Amino acid sequence: MQPDPKPAPVSLRDAAGLVHCRRTAAVARLIAHHLFLQPEEKDLLDAACFLHHGSIGVGAPKRLERLLADIFPKDEPALLARAPISVGARGVLNAYAVPGTGTALELRLAGILRLADAFDQNMEAQPIDGEEVGEILERLRGGVEAGLWPEEAIDALVQSTLPPPIVGQPGSWRVPVFPEAALRTLHLMRDPRAGIADVVKAASLDPALAGLVMRLANSALFGRRAAVSTLSKAIGRLGFATSQKVITSAALRAVFDPPKLRKVWRHSLEVADLSEQLAGRAGAVDPAEAYLVGLLHDVGQIALLSMALYDSARIEGLVRAGCNPVYAESLLLRTDHAAFGARIAAAWRLPESMVAAIRQHHRPEKEGSTLACLLYLAEQLSGSEEDLPSIVRLDVSLKGAGLAWEDVANCTISALGSWLAAA
Ligand SMILES: [Fe+2]
Ligand SMILES: [Fe+2]
Ligand SMILES: [Fe+2]
């Protein structure tokens, strides 16, 4: 028996296209749901969305299936089963390619597909155009007159994504007070006269902090030396900068205490570690400040916890469907956790440089914040997929931080960073 021919390699272009197709399908589904389309009509729309870039799917269903299997988790067989091109989906695709042709249903679905496609392309162009979601939607209204999509489709997209009012009101967020020990280290960081004795004072504010400092000083990371038994000796062994870092991270852990934020906290420790290293390489920002802002960059996630279950389920649904979290937040809330985080940081009276960095950590092109550029780079290095990948933002961030890609590419989590994440 002849062995199966080796499948053709998946090109980057195809993979990127499919991620776009997947998001297009998710946005189209929002519209379809609002318009009460029948389940089989939604399935047809789904299939057409996945296939609307002809080079990926049309005429090559086997290859398409393999591509889809790469993108979708194995536990979504129903989605895969729908993927091969059906006659119906082909009709929608024809109507999509040639506006004004096809049956009434094909025309309707093709209009929705065209709108969802245009919306996603505009979101991809955001780093260059700088448009907010509301502005994009307003501009897409022009497509009705141009005959690209029906008014019902743009109305449905606008209506189904009107943000719930409660989310934007800080009064509804359960924001903890800024921990005293972290406040102290923030002052110490900005005080050139500060010394080890001040760090000892900050660490003794909380037994949990002191405990962590002792554990680290006696850990294998600091060699097989005689165990230290007092806080001041432990801090002496760790040194000023490391002690400050440990105290700050231990103090801020409480802010991310809700179970839903545990993953955010581990991610924040990684981003803090990478931001600090990048700041050391760039030289324009105090590494300790970069570390602190790294720990807090996603603090706006606290605000998302105040959302009604229905609203958070809608965001999670979009994320599961392939839209990155910032994309889903921007579409359904018309803002994102970075903007919420900046409001929390401002309420805590953190320095304006930190507030701006938190606000712009997913849009480093918006303000001239070097800290935001470092955060963006650290975020990418950490492997986080919070936002759409953007070569434009990567470039802006490198320039803003005064770094070259070679300075950044080999930056990995330090041994101390891993220790703290596991502690
Ligand atoms: Fe497209
Ligand atoms: Fe992040
Ligand atoms: Fe973020």
Side-chain angles (χ1 to χ4, degrees), residues 54-381:
S55 63
I56 294 169
V58 179
K62 270 273 164 251
R63 183 145 179 265
L64 175 78
E65 265 182 71
R66 196 168 47 75
L67 279 164
L68 286 171
D70 273 357
I71 302 277
F72 295 114
K74 295 286 177 278
D75 59 358
E76 286 189 51
L79 205 50
L80 281 178
R82 288 209 298 269
I85 309 166
S86 67
V87 176
R90 206 181 278 277
V92 178
L93 288 169
N94 287 338
Y96 160 81
V98 189
T101 58
T103 65
L105 177 64
E106 286 164 0
L107 273 171
R108 192 181 192 204
L109 299 184
I112 296 172
L113 163 55
R114 226 174 281 119
L115 173 58
D117 181 29
F119 176 78
D120 190 65
Q121 285 182 32
N122 277 278
M123 288 297 275
E124 284 188 330
Q126 210 180 34
I128 302 163
D129 297 344
E131 274 186 317
E132 301 300 331
V133 166
E135 294 168 327
I136 293 173
L137 292 176
E138 205 38 60
R139 197 165 43 70
L140 290 180
R141 259 193 196 284
V144 177
E145 213 168 300
L148 292 172
W149 41 78
E151 193 163 20
E152 64 161 11
I154 183 75
D155 280 346
L157 185 55
V158 171
Q159 291 293 324
S160 64
T161 59
L162 282 180
I166 187 85
V167 178
Q169 292 168 10
S172 67
W173 306 345
R174 279 201 209 126
V175 181
V177 287
F178 195 72
E180 176 67 24
L183 202 60
R184 284 239 186 158
T185 40
L186 183 63
H187 288 315
L188 292 185
M189 226 153 59
R190 303 190 147 228
D191 180 359
R193 293 159 308 166
I196 289 276
D198 302 293
V199 184
V200 175
K201 233 190 235 168
S204 41
L205 280 171
D206 178 342
L209 303 189
L212 192 71
V213 169
M214 298 293 297
R215 262 172 60 208
L216 178 61
N218 288 321
S219 74
L221 268 188
F222 284 83
R224 292 175 186 279
R225 289 188 274 168
V228 289
S229 53
T230 67
L231 189 56
S232 53
K233 277 190 184 145
I235 287 175
R237 182 176 283 182
L238 299 185
F240 184 74
T242 304
S243 311
Q244 254 195 347
K245 205 157 62 180
V246 177
I247 293 166
T248 316
S249 59
L252 288 175
R253 180 183 294 251
V255 170
F256 295 84
D257 201 38
K260 271 195 155 182
L261 296 184
R262 301 256 163 89
K263 242 172 100 182
V264 177
W265 175 242
R266 272 197 302 279
H267 159 71
S268 305
L269 280 168
E270 287 183 5
V271 169
D273 186 80
L274 293 164
S275 303
E276 184 199 29
Q277 293 185 56
L278 292 177
R281 292 174 192 202
V285 174
D286 176 8
E289 189 163 341
Y291 187 83
L292 178 57
V293 81
L295 286 179
L296 289 172
H297 79 287
D298 275 337
V299 73
Q301 301 275 0
I302 289 179
L304 299 179
L305 298 182
S306 73
M307 268 190 304
L309 269 182
Y310 172 75
D311 297 316
S312 42
R314 292 187 78 213
I315 292 198
E316 278 163 26
L318 269 189
V319 172
R320 262 200 314 278
C323 303
N324 308 62
V326 174
Y327 187 111
E329 290 163 21
S330 308
L331 178 54
L332 294 179
L333 307 176
R334 301 281 198 278
T335 180
D336 59 35
H337 68 266
F340 293 148
R343 285 164 80 173
I344 293 172
W348 278 339
R349 299 191 186 285
L350 295 187
E352 180 46 39
S353 59
M354 287 193 185
V355 175
I358 292 173
R359 185 185 304 117
Q360 302 311 142
H361 77 272
H362 289 292
R363 320 253 314 242
E365 73 279 11
K366 278 203 119 187
E367 277 175 30
S369 164
T370 310
L371 257 182
C373 294
L374 289 178
L375 283 178
Y376 187 83
L377 294 172
E379 184 94 51
Q380 303 309 310
L381 287 172

Side-chain angles (χ1 to χ4, degrees), residues 20 24 52-53 96 117 121:
H20 154 72
T24 300
H52 79 279
H53 283 271
Y96 160 81
D117 181 29
Q121 285 182 32

